[in-house]
Amino acid sequence: MVLKISPKTWKILEAIPFSQNAYEIAEKSGVSYNSVLWFLNNYRKNYIISSDFNFWKIGLVPLVVLTSMENITIKIPPYTIGLCEVSGLKKMILYRALIPEKFIKKYIKDLDTDVYAVIKGKDIARWLPNSKLTAYIKESETIEPITSKIYEVYNELISQKTNIDREKEKIDIIDLYIIRDKMIFSFAKLSQTLKRIHMYFSNNVTKQLLSYHYNKHVKRLWKYNYIIPLHDTLEYPLRLYYLKGKDAEVLGKLVVNLPYVFTSLIDKDKVMVLAQPTPRMEYLLYDIFTMFDVKKPLGDILISMNKYSKFFSDPSKLFIENEWRYPDIIREIKIIR
């Protein structure tokens, strides 16, 4: 079924991207604090709510790799944050990683299989509730595309100059534990992060020290919170669009303004787009794709959600003496066919 979004929920969603706690959401949305808390505690089965950071400033690159799945085992190198089986012109494994650029070649070598595509994110574009091609329809409680503004938004995008601040920021293990938890859930409590730090890193970190790191270090790296509102995945599968061509970058930034087009990972002349389109949205996306100089070399790609795994490595195993390291340990998972 198509996800229904009540007017109160929509107000909360609109406030989430640039709020850092439930009090800010309540203030910006006009919804009561208790209602906001209830939403954050009960609606996470329908929404992924995660924080985005300027990863480049801490020496990390978002990476997606599509590989063969002909081997009987799947290698999981360090810095992997997720993998899943996908189906396109062939069965493949999709790897997601956050990794220092100097380790990317080693990472790909350690996958030890045929590689079909590599997307090194020089930018990430996300759908947000205020995206310019999305309208909330109160009567039907749905979000719909604003097709009349597609050319207007396109013209705005091609006139923009992209200047991403990549000046390096100093970080430490405490910052990375906070970032890790905020990537899992934007409004994860620092008290939970403190428990994790005490369990895996050090008992000497206090609540006051953790709060200091959050306010003085992590907030400078925080970009916004993004939301992925999910339909029933059995009815509307998650799809990937791997697009290559001279228009791929601007196309990735354009389509992510549409409802249920969640993320564009942008590389030079190629982009990987994650979406969960309804049939109407799928037709619209294909119409838009035909207007640009892009190709889909791997065809339509569907994600198998029942074969999706997330990995969040212990930062203390990767960031040692204020430097990113590449551990030699590689995990393996057997493929069950």
Side-chain angles (χ1 to χ4, degrees):
M1 292 179 62
V2 173
L3 180 65
K4 296 287 186 178
I5 305 173
S6 72
K8 180 189 286 187
T9 298
W10 182 249
K11 288 179 181 179
I12 293 172
L13 296 180
E14 286 185 303
I16 281 175
F18 299 101
S19 298
Q20 295 184 351
N21 54 57
Y23 289 104
E24 288 188 24
I25 296 172
E27 184 178 344
K28 292 175 183 178
S29 66
V31 176
S32 73
Y33 174 72
N34 286 338
S35 294
V36 170
L37 282 184
W38 186 89
F39 171 82
L40 294 177
N41 290 329
N42 293 280
Y43 266 63
R44 286 170 62 186
K45 64 181 180 181
N46 300 111
Y47 302 91
I48 296 169
I49 302 172
S50 178
S51 294
D52 228 348
F53 297 89
N54 193 331
F55 300 111
W56 301 271
K57 296 186 78 167
I58 59 175
L60 297 175
V61 175
L63 178 73
V64 165
V65 183
L66 282 167
T67 75
S68 166
M69 63 171 293
E70 292 180 357
N71 295 345
I72 61 171
T73 59
I74 299 173
K75 303 287 182 66
I76 308 172
Y79 294 95
T80 301
I81 60 173
L83 65 81
C84 62
E85 291 185 21
V86 299
S87 301
L89 296 175
K90 56 190 77 179
K91 287 276 191 180
M92 296 175 285
I93 301 294
L94 179 140
Y95 288 84
R96 293 175 56 235
L98 273 172
I99 185 169
E101 189 163 12
K102 64 183 178 181
F103 296 144
I104 290 177
K105 286 184 179 179
K106 181 168 177 54
Y107 181 93
I108 293 171
K109 182 180 178 181
D110 284 345
L111 295 176
D112 193 28
T113 189
D114 293 334
V115 174
Y116 301 130
V118 177
I119 301 93
K120 294 185 286 186
K122 68 177 188 178
D123 196 5
I124 299 177
R126 305 275 193 188
W127 178 85
L128 299 176
N130 66 348
S131 292
K132 294 180 179 179
L133 298 179
T134 296
Y136 176 69
I137 311 301
K138 187 174 180 180
E139 291 74 18
S140 60
E141 298 189 343
T142 58
I143 49 177
E144 302 292 342
I146 307 174
T147 56
S148 61
K149 289 189 176 181
I150 289 176
Y151 286 106
E152 177 186 328
V153 173
Y154 169 75
N155 288 328
E156 288 178 11
L157 288 170
I158 59 173
S159 65
Q160 290 176 357
K161 291 185 178 180
T162 303
N163 292 312
I164 300 174
D165 181 7
R166 285 179 165 79
E167 183 179 349
K168 292 295 187 289
E169 293 270 1
K170 288 185 178 181
I171 55 162
D172 62 19
I173 292 295
I174 296 175
D175 304 328
L176 292 172
Y177 272 105
I178 299 170
I179 290 170
R180 173 194 183 277
D181 283 359
K182 295 292 184 181
M183 286 175 60
I184 297 172
F185 178 52
S186 297
F187 303 98
K189 295 183 182 299
L190 290 181
S191 58
Q192 295 301 315
T193 302
L194 188 62
K195 289 180 183 178
R196 199 183 313 279
I197 290 173
H198 288 170
M199 185 178 299
Y200 295 107
F201 178 58
S202 171
N203 281 318
N204 295 326
V205 179
T206 64
K207 183 178 179 181
Q208 291 75 18
L209 180 60
L210 189 67
S211 180
Y212 173 85
H213 276 261
Y214 174 65
N215 288 300
K216 296 298 182 180
H217 299 170
V218 175
K219 280 185 178 180
R220 291 209 305 265
L221 296 165
W222 178 69
K223 294 168 65 180
Y224 48 70
N225 306 315
Y226 64 90
I227 303 158
I228 297 181
L230 292 170
H231 302 304
D232 183 338
T233 55
L234 293 178
E235 226 175 310
Y236 302 102
L238 283 165
R239 296 176 179 270
L240 292 171
Y241 301 100
Y242 174 52
L243 307 167
K244 293 185 71 175
K246 68 177 186 179
D247 293 334
E249 296 179 44
V250 69
L251 179 56
K253 293 176 182 178
L254 174 67
V255 297
V256 84
N257 282 275
L258 292 163
Y260 299 107
V261 182
F262 305 129
T263 301
S264 291
L265 184 65
I266 299 164
D267 199 348
K268 181 174 174 54
D269 296 331
K270 53 187 173 181
V271 65
M272 182 70 79
V273 178
L274 172 67
Q276 193 190 25
T278 61
R280 179 192 174 193
M281 277 297 306
E282 193 170 3
Y283 282 119
L284 176 59
L285 284 171
Y286 279 103
D287 280 346
I288 294 172
F289 294 162
T290 60
M291 300 186 315
F292 290 84
D293 184 3
V294 293
K295 294 180 180 179
K296 291 194 301 174
L298 296 174
D300 294 338
I301 305 173
L302 272 65
I303 295 177
S304 177
M305 285 304 294
N306 63 336
K307 296 181 179 179
Y308 182 87
S309 300
K310 289 184 178 180
F311 304 91
F312 287 91
S313 300
D314 182 350
S316 65
K317 301 293 191 295
L318 302 175
F319 195 72
I320 301 169
E321 295 179 352
N322 295 320
E323 184 179 354
W324 292 110
R325 305 291 179 87
Y326 193 94
D328 291 330
I329 299 173
I330 299 175
R331 297 171 58 188
E332 290 188 357
I333 297 178
K334 285 189 176 181
I335 297 177
I336 301 174
R337 300 187 189 277

